[in-house]
Amino acid sequence: MAIRLGLGLPQMRQYDIGRDVPSVARAAEEIGFESLWVFERVLFPEPATQGLYGVEGLPWPDIYRSVADPLVTLTLAAAATERARLGTSVLVAPLHIPFQLARSLASLDAARGGRVVAGLGTGWSHDEYAAAGVAPFEKRGRVLDELLDVCAAVWGPDPVSHQGELTTIVPSVVGPKPARPIPVYLPAMSPKSARRLVDRADGWLPAAQGAARLTEEWTRLKNLAEERGRERPIEVCVRVNTRYSPKPFEGAERPPFTGSATQIVEDVAAHAVDGIGEFLLDLQGSARDAEELKDVAAEVYGMVRAAGL
């Protein structure tokens, strides 16, 4: 079975959000992409008090200086499309009030015929937590657990009720309901987060960091699912952050997903291990504008399909 391909929507500062998001979303659906995705960055600390991904000394990329709100972006894309699934990879759950986020996702799913995929994570930026977090960074796992509980309640039958550390819902009618059960995808960066995924989520959202590492992590997750008695399969969507260039990368050690369209497709093929069903290709960072993003997306999509993937 052919892998599914998703495309990252244009959220960065080189794009005109109101014009380019609908345009790219429509073009991606026409090309054949089966899903459209957004990510979340709420600020760019200057000077940075913490390295990128929490790695000391690793600078934040300049493209993070302006990133459009993910739910606004996804809503613009939803209104411009008919079939593509609408995913978040990821929403930093503790930057959102659980009840409000659950209702927003339900409303979007109801409005667009059951196409939302809720990718949720805990984030890593202390500065983002200080500015927008609903609880301290140290409680991020507990906040995510409560958000999952609140989503299950809000998306489920009325009357809805919940009593938690952050959220109290007295027995209430809460609508609209999603058009169908919204799939929840989670990362699995630690043993605890892997258990949460196996026990509570529909899918896994890894970031591509080499085929060998992806295979190892996938095997470990499947083994954990078997140990914990999970019967339903785990869906997988691999986030691919590309560094596209019109010319091939000419170096002894090429980082994965860096270089020409041909090289990016070669890396997709290398990562297409058994059970990995979908790849989210985020090409927006290297494109100068929406027209180039659409052209590159069409080129990569065509080459992936021509390769029989």
Coordinates of all heavy atoms in Angstrom, one line a residue, residues 246-300:
P246 N 17.5 23.8 -4.7 CA 17.3 23.3 -6.1 C 18.5 22.5 -6.6 O 18.3 21.7 -7.5 CB 17.3 24.7 -6.8 CG 16.9 25.7 -5.8 CD 17.4 25.2 -4.5
K247 N 19.7 22.7 -5.9 CA 20.8 21.9 -6.3 C 21.1 20.8 -5.3 O 20.8 21.0 -4.1 CB 22.1 22.8 -6.4 CG 21.9 23.9 -7.5 CD 23.2 24.8 -7.5 CE 23.1 25.8 -8.6 NZ 24.3 26.7 -8.6
P248 N 21.6 19.7 -5.7 CA 21.9 18.6 -4.8 C 22.9 19.0 -3.7 O 23.8 19.8 -4.0 CB 22.5 17.5 -5.7 CG 22.0 17.8 -7.1 CD 21.9 19.3 -7.1
F249 N 22.8 18.4 -2.6 CA 23.7 18.7 -1.5 C 25.0 17.9 -1.8 O 25.0 16.7 -2.2 CB 23.2 18.1 -0.2 CG 24.1 18.3 1.0 CD1 24.0 19.5 1.8 CD2 25.0 17.4 1.4 CE1 24.8 19.7 2.9 CE2 25.8 17.6 2.5 CZ 25.7 18.7 3.2
E250 N 26.1 18.6 -1.7 CA 27.4 17.9 -2.1 C 28.4 17.9 -0.9 O 29.3 18.8 -0.8 CB 28.0 18.7 -3.3 CG 27.2 18.6 -4.6 CD 27.9 19.4 -5.7 OE1 28.9 20.1 -5.5 OE2 27.3 19.3 -6.8
G251 N 28.1 17.0 -0.1 CA 29.0 16.9 1.1 C 29.1 15.4 1.5 O 28.4 14.6 1.1
A252 N 30.2 15.2 2.2 CA 30.5 13.8 2.6 C 29.4 13.2 3.5 O 29.0 12.0 3.4 CB 31.8 13.7 3.3
E253 N 28.9 14.0 4.4 CA 27.8 13.6 5.3 C 26.6 14.5 5.2 O 26.5 15.5 5.8 CB 28.3 13.6 6.8 CG 29.5 12.6 7.0 CD 29.9 12.5 8.5 OE1 29.1 13.1 9.3 OE2 30.9 11.9 8.8
R254 N 25.7 14.1 4.4 CA 24.5 14.8 4.1 C 23.4 14.6 5.2 O 23.0 13.4 5.4 CB 23.9 14.5 2.8 CG 22.6 15.3 2.4 CD 22.1 14.9 1.0 NE 21.7 13.5 0.9 CZ 20.5 13.1 1.1 NH1 19.6 13.9 1.5 NH2 20.2 11.8 1.0
P255 N 23.0 15.6 5.9 CA 21.9 15.4 6.9 C 20.6 14.9 6.2 O 20.4 15.2 5.1 CB 21.7 16.8 7.5 CG 22.9 17.6 7.2 CD 23.4 17.0 5.9
P256 N 19.8 14.0 6.9 CA 18.6 13.5 6.3 C 17.7 14.7 5.8 O 17.6 15.7 6.5 CB 18.0 12.7 7.4 CG 19.1 12.4 8.3 CD 20.1 13.5 8.2
F257 N 17.1 14.5 4.7 CA 16.1 15.4 4.1 C 16.7 16.8 3.8 O 16.0 17.8 4.0 CB 14.9 15.5 5.1 CG 14.2 14.2 5.3 CD1 14.4 13.4 6.4 CD2 13.4 13.6 4.3 CE1 13.8 12.2 6.6 CE2 12.8 12.4 4.5 CZ 13.0 11.7 5.6
T258 N 17.9 16.8 3.4 CA 18.6 18.0 3.0 C 19.0 17.9 1.6 O 19.6 16.8 1.2 CB 19.8 18.2 3.9 OG1 19.4 18.4 5.3 CG2 20.6 19.5 3.5
G259 N 18.8 18.9 0.8 CA 19.3 18.9 -0.6 C 18.1 19.0 -1.6 O 17.1 19.6 -1.4
S260 N 18.3 18.4 -2.8 CA 17.4 18.4 -3.9 C 16.2 17.6 -3.6 O 16.1 16.8 -2.7 CB 18.1 18.0 -5.1 OG 18.4 16.6 -5.1
A261 N 15.2 17.8 -4.5 CA 14.0 16.9 -4.4 C 14.3 15.4 -4.5 O 13.8 14.6 -3.8 CB 13.0 17.3 -5.5
T262 N 15.3 15.1 -5.4 CA 15.7 13.7 -5.5 C 16.2 13.2 -4.2 O 15.9 12.1 -3.8 CB 16.7 13.6 -6.7 OG1 16.1 14.0 -7.9 CG2 17.2 12.2 -6.8
Q263 N 17.1 14.0 -3.6 CA 17.7 13.5 -2.3 C 16.6 13.4 -1.2 O 16.7 12.4 -0.4 CB 18.8 14.5 -1.9 CG 20.0 14.4 -2.8 CD 21.0 15.5 -2.5 OE1 20.7 16.6 -2.2 NE2 22.3 15.1 -2.6
I264 N 15.7 14.3 -1.2 CA 14.6 14.2 -0.2 C 13.8 13.0 -0.4 O 13.4 12.2 0.6 CB 13.7 15.5 -0.2 CG1 14.5 16.7 0.3 CG2 12.5 15.3 0.6 CD1 13.9 18.0 0.1
V265 N 13.5 12.6 -1.6 CA 12.7 11.5 -1.9 C 13.5 10.2 -1.6 O 12.9 9.2 -1.1 CB 12.2 11.5 -3.4 CG1 11.6 10.1 -3.8 CG2 11.3 12.6 -3.7
E266 N 14.8 10.2 -1.8 CA 15.6 9.0 -1.4 C 15.5 8.8 0.1 O 15.4 7.7 0.5 CB 17.0 9.3 -1.8 CG 17.3 9.2 -3.3 CD 18.7 9.7 -3.7 OE1 19.4 10.1 -2.8 OE2 19.1 9.5 -4.9
D267 N 15.5 9.9 0.9 CA 15.4 9.7 2.3 C 14.0 9.3 2.7 O 13.8 8.5 3.7 CB 15.7 11.1 3.0 CG 17.2 11.4 2.9 OD1 18.0 10.5 2.7 OD2 17.5 12.6 2.9
V268 N 12.9 9.7 2.0 CA 11.6 9.2 2.3 C 11.6 7.7 2.1 O 11.0 6.9 3.0 CB 10.5 9.9 1.5 CG1 9.2 9.2 1.6 CG2 10.4 11.4 1.8
A269 N 12.1 7.3 1.0 CA 12.2 5.8 0.7 C 12.9 5.1 1.8 O 12.5 4.0 2.2 CB 12.8 5.6 -0.6
A270 N 14.0 5.6 2.3 CA 14.8 4.9 3.4 C 14.0 4.8 4.7 O 14.2 3.9 5.5 CB 16.1 5.7 3.6
H271 N 13.2 5.8 4.9 CA 12.4 5.8 6.2 C 11.1 5.1 6.1 O 10.4 4.9 7.1 CB 12.1 7.3 6.6 CG 13.3 8.0 7.2 ND1 14.4 8.4 6.4 CD2 13.6 8.4 8.4 CE1 15.2 9.0 7.2 NE2 14.8 9.0 8.4
A272 N 10.7 4.6 4.9 CA 9.4 4.0 4.7 C 9.5 2.5 5.2 O 9.3 1.6 4.4 CB 9.0 4.0 3.3
V273 N 9.7 2.3 6.5 CA 9.7 1.0 7.1 C 8.3 0.4 7.3 O 7.3 1.2 7.3 CB 10.5 1.0 8.4 CG1 11.9 1.5 8.2 CG2 9.8 1.8 9.5
D274 N 8.2 -0.9 7.5 CA 6.9 -1.5 7.6 C 6.1 -0.9 8.8 O 6.6 -0.8 9.9 CB 7.1 -3.0 7.8 CG 5.8 -3.8 7.8 OD1 5.0 -3.5 6.9 OD2 5.6 -4.6 8.7
G275 N 4.9 -0.5 8.5 CA 4.0 0.0 9.5 C 4.0 1.5 9.6 O 3.2 2.1 10.3
I276 N 4.9 2.2 8.9 CA 5.0 3.7 8.8 C 4.1 4.1 7.7 O 4.4 4.0 6.5 CB 6.4 4.2 8.6 CG1 7.3 3.7 9.8 CG2 6.4 5.7 8.6 CD1 7.0 4.2 11.1
G277 N 2.9 4.6 8.0 CA 1.9 4.8 7.0 C 1.8 6.2 6.4 O 1.3 6.4 5.3
E278 N 2.4 7.2 7.0 CA 2.3 8.6 6.5 C 3.5 9.4 6.8 O 4.1 9.3 7.9 CB 1.0 9.2 7.1 CG 0.7 10.6 6.6 CD -0.7 11.0 7.0 OE1 -1.3 10.4 7.9 OE2 -1.2 12.0 6.4
F279 N 3.8 10.3 5.9 CA 4.9 11.3 6.1 C 4.4 12.7 5.9 O 3.7 13.0 4.9 CB 6.0 11.0 5.1 CG 6.8 9.8 5.4 CD1 6.4 8.6 5.0 CD2 8.0 9.9 6.1 CE1 7.1 7.4 5.2 CE2 8.8 8.8 6.3 CZ 8.3 7.5 5.9
L280 N 4.6 13.5 6.9 CA 4.3 15.0 6.8 C 5.6 15.7 6.3 O 6.6 15.7 7.0 CB 3.9 15.5 8.2 CG 4.1 17.0 8.5 CD1 3.4 17.9 7.5 CD2 3.7 17.2 9.9
L281 N 5.5 16.2 5.1 CA 6.6 16.9 4.5 C 6.5 18.4 4.8 O 5.6 19.1 4.2 CB 6.7 16.7 3.0 CG 6.8 15.2 2.6 CD1 6.8 15.1 1.1 CD2 8.0 14.5 3.2
D282 N 7.3 19.0 5.6 CA 7.3 20.4 5.9 C 8.4 21.1 5.1 O 9.6 21.0 5.4 CB 7.5 20.7 7.4 CG 7.0 22.1 7.8 OD1 7.1 23.0 6.9 OD2 6.6 22.3 8.9
L283 N 8.0 21.7 4.0 CA 8.9 22.3 3.0 C 8.9 23.8 3.1 O 9.6 24.5 2.3 CB 8.4 21.9 1.6 CG 8.4 20.4 1.3 CD1 7.5 20.1 0.1 CD2 9.8 19.9 1.0
Q284 N 8.1 24.4 4.0 CA 7.9 25.8 4.0 C 9.1 26.6 4.3 O 9.3 27.8 3.9 CB 6.7 26.2 4.9 CG 7.0 25.9 6.4 CD 5.9 26.4 7.3 OE1 5.5 27.5 7.2 NE2 5.4 25.5 8.1
G285 N 10.0 26.1 5.2 CA 11.1 26.9 5.7 C 12.1 27.3 4.6 O 12.7 28.4 4.7
S286 N 12.3 26.5 3.6 CA 13.2 26.7 2.6 C 12.7 27.5 1.4 O 13.4 27.9 0.5 CB 13.9 25.4 2.1 OG 14.4 24.7 3.1
A287 N 11.4 27.6 1.3 CA 10.7 28.2 0.1 C 10.7 29.7 0.3 O 10.5 30.2 1.4 CB 9.3 27.7 -0.1
R288 N 10.9 30.5 -0.8 CA 10.9 31.9 -0.7 C 9.5 32.5 -0.6 O 9.3 33.5 0.0 CB 11.6 32.5 -2.0 CG 13.1 32.2 -2.1 CD 13.6 32.6 -3.4 NE 13.0 31.7 -4.5 CZ 13.4 31.7 -5.7 NH1 14.3 32.6 -6.2 NH2 12.8 30.9 -6.6
D289 N 8.5 31.8 -1.2 CA 7.1 32.3 -1.2 C 6.2 31.1 -1.5 O 6.7 30.0 -1.7 CB 7.0 33.4 -2.2 CG 7.4 33.0 -3.7 OD1 7.3 31.8 -4.0 OD2 7.9 33.9 -4.4
A290 N 4.9 31.4 -1.6 CA 3.9 30.4 -1.7 C 4.0 29.7 -3.1 O 3.8 28.5 -3.2 CB 2.5 30.9 -1.5
E291 N 4.4 30.4 -4.1 CA 4.5 29.8 -5.4 C 5.6 28.8 -5.5 O 5.5 27.7 -6.0 CB 4.7 30.9 -6.5 CG 3.5 31.8 -6.7 CD 2.2 31.0 -6.9 OE1 2.2 30.1 -7.8 OE2 1.2 31.3 -6.2
E292 N 6.7 29.1 -4.9 CA 7.8 28.2 -4.8 C 7.5 27.0 -4.0 O 7.8 25.8 -4.3 CB 9.1 28.8 -4.3 CG 10.3 27.8 -4.3 CD 11.6 28.5 -3.9 OE1 11.6 29.4 -3.1 OE2 12.6 28.1 -4.5
L293 N 6.8 27.2 -2.9 CA 6.3 26.1 -2.0 C 5.4 25.1 -2.8 O 5.6 23.9 -2.7 CB 5.6 26.6 -0.8 CG 5.0 25.6 0.2 CD1 6.0 24.6 0.7 CD2 4.3 26.3 1.4
K294 N 4.5 25.7 -3.5 CA 3.6 24.8 -4.3 C 4.4 24.0 -5.4 O 4.1 22.8 -5.6 CB 2.5 25.6 -5.0 CG 1.5 26.1 -3.9 CD 0.3 26.8 -4.6 CE 0.6 28.2 -5.0 NZ -0.6 29.0 -5.5
D295 N 5.3 24.7 -6.0 CA 6.1 24.0 -7.1 C 7.0 22.9 -6.5 O 7.0 21.8 -7.1 CB 7.0 25.0 -7.8 CG 6.3 26.0 -8.7 OD1 5.1 25.7 -9.0 OD2 6.9 27.0 -9.0
V296 N 7.6 23.1 -5.4 CA 8.5 22.1 -4.7 C 7.6 21.0 -4.2 O 7.9 19.8 -4.4 CB 9.3 22.7 -3.6 CG1 10.1 21.6 -2.9 CG2 10.3 23.8 -4.1
A297 N 6.5 21.3 -3.6 CA 5.6 20.2 -3.1 C 5.1 19.3 -4.3 O 5.1 18.1 -4.1 CB 4.4 20.9 -2.5
A298 N 4.7 19.9 -5.4 CA 4.3 19.1 -6.6 C 5.4 18.3 -7.1 O 5.2 17.1 -7.4 CB 3.8 20.1 -7.7
E299 N 6.7 18.8 -7.1 CA 7.8 18.0 -7.6 C 8.1 16.8 -6.7 O 8.3 15.7 -7.2 CB 9.0 18.9 -7.7 CG 10.3 18.2 -8.2 CD 11.5 19.1 -8.2 OE1 11.5 20.2 -7.6 OE2 12.5 18.7 -8.9
V300 N 8.1 17.1 -5.4 CA 8.4 16.0 -4.4 C 7.3 15.0 -4.5 O 7.6 13.7 -4.5 CB 8.6 16.6 -3.0 CG1 8.8 15.4 -2.0 CG2 9.9 17.5 -3.0

